[in-house]
Amino acid sequence: MYKAYEFTYADTPASLYGMFVCDLGDTKHGDNPFGNQANIVEKRLANRITPLHYGVRYHDDPLTFHLIFASNEYLDRWQVQEVAQWLTGYQEYQWLTIDQPDMEGVEFHCLIQSMTAINIAWFPIAFDATIICDCPYGYSYPFEEEIRVDGTKEYLFYNDSTARVPLYPQLKIEVAQGCSSFSITNRTTGVTTQFTGMPSGGFTVNMDNENEVIDVASYKYDIYDYFNFQFFYLVPGDNELVIRGSGKVTISGRYLYNVGA
């Protein structure tokens, strides 16, 4: 048995149960594919050499991999039940981190789909867990950047994602008192997210850009009446932002990492 690294699942470290990631005999971590498999959408005709190509879908299947972990000592049935209770039975995705150097700063949002006990001489000592994630990618730890503006401000935002997909972060816009217009233009994407003709300022706009939902607490007007319905997103790498208005913008979320497992 080769001891490797600790892992944490559902905010609980494996060391609490005396477990660690390892290879055990012939049960080893194998080659796991990346989650963003290219599913080509096209049609081939008899009278054409090349196909009628419609595009490529990358996100049909989530990232799935095996996690093998063991104890230094044999486990009894009560200890096996404790491990199973810790890792299985959840109704929502949980966060998994594996504490190896090249996985530093990466988390997987996942469920343990199945788990098999590995026995030596009839006694359980390890487990082989099938991990299924909520998407084809790993995530960074949460990030948050605050930008204050009074007038016009240019700001270079670096999206650290390594997945070639748009990132839709959370936006919190604290509009200053008396400000009736607020906008964020991403020159890199050419998209402007703006609110114009608002009766007054002095309120906070919370934007869930992925689900396209806007919430404004204790505001007597319908904020959608002043919105241009262009939700904010970032591309990987540099994003040149131009912010106009008065107040503070907070951009938060998690970057997407195409790391496999």
Side-chain angles (χ1 to χ4, degrees):
M1 179 167 58
Y2 175 72
K3 182 174 180 180
Y5 306 102
E6 188 179 22
F7 69 97
T8 300
Y9 185 73
D11 295 322
T12 303
S15 59
L16 188 65
Y17 297 89
M19 310 297 293
F20 49 86
V21 179
C22 71
D23 288 336
L24 181 65
D26 293 333
T27 307
K28 299 180 179 180
H29 291 90
D31 298 329
N32 293 309
F34 286 83
N36 62 333
Q37 177 181 337
N39 293 310
I40 302 170
V41 183
E42 62 186 24
K43 186 173 184 179
R44 293 189 175 270
L45 305 178
N47 62 341
R48 287 176 59 104
I49 297 175
T50 59
L52 297 175
H53 182 75
Y54 301 109
V56 182
R57 298 195 310 266
Y58 284 99
H59 310 122
D60 289 351
D61 299 306
L63 177 64
T64 303
F65 59 93
H66 284 265
L67 187 70
I68 301 164
F69 52 97
S71 170
N72 275 323
E73 300 177 353
Y74 291 112
L75 306 171
D76 58 36
R77 292 299 171 184
W78 290 275
Q79 291 171 310
V80 169
Q81 289 182 75
E82 287 180 348
V83 173
Q85 184 181 31
W86 160 42
L87 295 174
T88 63
Y90 295 95
Q91 294 297 314
E92 302 293 337
Y93 290 99
Q94 305 295 318
W95 292 105
L96 167 69
T97 59
I98 303 172
D99 299 334
Q100 66 186 63
D102 60 350
M103 287 287 191
E104 185 177 353
V106 178
E107 291 189 290
F108 298 98
H109 203 208
C110 59
L111 286 166
I112 295 183
Q113 190 175 36
S114 63
M115 193 169 69
T116 303
I118 301 171
N119 299 323
I120 295 179
W122 297 90
F123 293 100
I125 195 171
F127 299 90
D128 182 352
T130 300
I131 311 296
I132 183 166
C133 300
D134 69 342
C135 77
Y137 308 108
Y139 295 86
S140 72
Y141 292 120
F143 70 84
E144 183 175 283
E145 288 197 32
E146 294 184 355
I147 311 165
R148 296 184 180 274
V149 60
D150 187 9
T152 299
K153 184 168 187 175
E154 296 186 1
Y155 190 87
L156 185 64
F157 187 99
Y158 184 77
N159 173 9
D160 194 48
S161 298
T162 57
R164 197 186 294 271
V165 292
L167 179 67
Y168 294 88
Q170 299 282 328
L171 274 186
K172 181 180 178 182
I173 305 175
E174 299 174 59
V175 184
Q177 189 71 41
C179 178
S180 61
S181 179
F182 203 103
S183 69
I184 305 173
T185 298
N186 188 337
R187 287 176 175 167
T188 306
T189 64
V191 173
T192 297
T193 301
Q194 67 180 13
F195 298 88
T196 55
M198 296 181 292
S200 64
F203 56 88
T204 299
V205 179
N206 294 298
M207 296 186 65
D208 180 346
N209 291 285
E210 184 173 19
N211 295 305
E212 298 189 349
V213 175
I214 305 175
D215 174 65
V216 182
S218 65
Y219 189 59
K220 61 182 178 180
Y221 303 102
D222 186 349
I223 195 65
Y224 287 96
D225 290 341
Y226 314 104
F227 180 49
N228 69 341
F229 289 90
Q230 296 294 311
F231 285 88
F232 181 77
Y233 67 91
L234 301 161
V235 294
D238 289 337
N239 289 258
E240 298 179 21
L241 307 182
V242 180
I243 306 171
R244 295 181 174 89
S246 182
K248 184 173 73 173
V249 177
T250 303
I251 305 174
S252 61
R254 292 176 181 260
Y255 301 120
L256 297 172
Y257 293 147
N258 193 14
V259 293

